[in-house]
Amino acid sequence: MAVAVRPILRIGDPRLRQVSDPVDDFDTPELHELIRDMFDTMAAAEGAGLAAPQIGVLKRIMIFGIESSSRYRDVEAVPTTVLINPEFEVLDEVRQGFWEGCLSVPGMRGYVERPAGIFYRGLDQYGEPIERSAEGFHAIVFQHEYDHLDGILYPDRLEDTTKFGFVDELAAAGIS
Ligand code: ZN
């Protein structure tokens, strides 16, 4: 099957600011094609996660997963996951900070603190339930992708806006 890489919307596009709709129909050819395209798009961009609104599909669908990548080489592995209509609760209120990047904010990073431990649930593309507790980068990437479904981008969550900038400038300054 041909690889289908879709254009990734960038910050400023109002579609990234919409609240996405739940998915009603599972295990359909359209949904499977969308999920395949999301994985192809994420892989081509070397991302750790992708939410459907980032390719202009305003549905509550996210994918994520990481073995090792150039973008996030210092973090632990995260299982490859399709999560639809997700929900979560915070298990550990302690906040952990990561230098986050986003395929919709290319070339930039920012330091964001989020709850360190969560429990999430959702459905996969077949409608089968998924329930997991997550911590570390796994918890961060889930919360980052979840935000996309509500039209929130990580720069909205910066507490210190000096810890935000272009990757090469931050590196040159020794900040990140
Ligand atoms: Zn993102």
Side-chain angles (χ1 to χ4, degrees):
M1 183 157 307
V3 171
V5 174
R6 301 210 196 171
I8 297 175
L9 309 186
R10 294 185 301 166
I11 188 169
D13 189 309
R15 288 172 288 179
L16 290 170
R17 295 312 198 164
Q18 302 295 310
V19 175
S20 290
D21 295 320
V23 172
D24 296 320
D25 296 322
F26 291 83
D27 200 16
T28 64
E30 294 78 15
L31 182 59
H32 290 307
E33 180 180 14
L34 173 62
I35 300 293
R36 277 197 302 272
D37 288 358
M38 287 176 68
F39 274 106
D40 289 344
T41 302
M42 184 174 79
E46 298 185 347
L50 187 73
Q54 291 182 274
I55 57 170
V57 177
L58 298 181
K59 294 289 186 182
R60 302 186 76 80
I61 303 170
M62 65 166 78
I63 64 170
F64 54 81
I66 184 168
E67 293 176 11
S68 60
S69 85
S70 56
R71 181 183 280 265
Y72 294 105
R73 60 190 172 278
D74 297 330
V75 302
E76 68 269 32
V78 175
T80 298
T81 302
V82 174
L83 212 51
I84 300 173
N85 301 344
E87 301 172 5
F88 78 104
E89 55 198 79
V90 173
L91 296 182
D92 185 351
E93 301 273 1
V94 172
R95 295 164 79 78
Q96 58 179 346
F98 272 90
W99 283 93
E100 296 189 18
C102 180
L103 299 177
S104 295
V105 191
M108 304 189 83
R109 278 197 184 181
Y111 190 79
V112 176
E113 295 185 354
R114 300 182 189 267
I118 61 170
F119 177 82
Y120 67 73
R121 65 174 72 82
L123 302 168
D124 70 10
Q125 64 269 52
Y126 301 96
E128 294 296 322
I130 298 169
E131 293 190 345
R132 284 191 199 130
S133 53
E135 54 190 18
F137 189 68
H138 188 177
I140 297 300
V141 72
F142 172 91
Q143 291 175 83
H144 176 114
E145 300 309 329
Y146 186 92
D147 272 353
H148 278 297
L149 307 183
D150 286 336
I152 298 167
L153 298 171
Y154 82 78
D156 305 342
R157 299 215 180 263
L158 294 167
E159 289 182 12
D160 177 353
T161 52
T162 70
K163 292 182 175 175
F164 175 57
F166 289 98
V167 172
D168 51 353
E169 297 292 354
L170 292 166
I175 293 174
S176 74

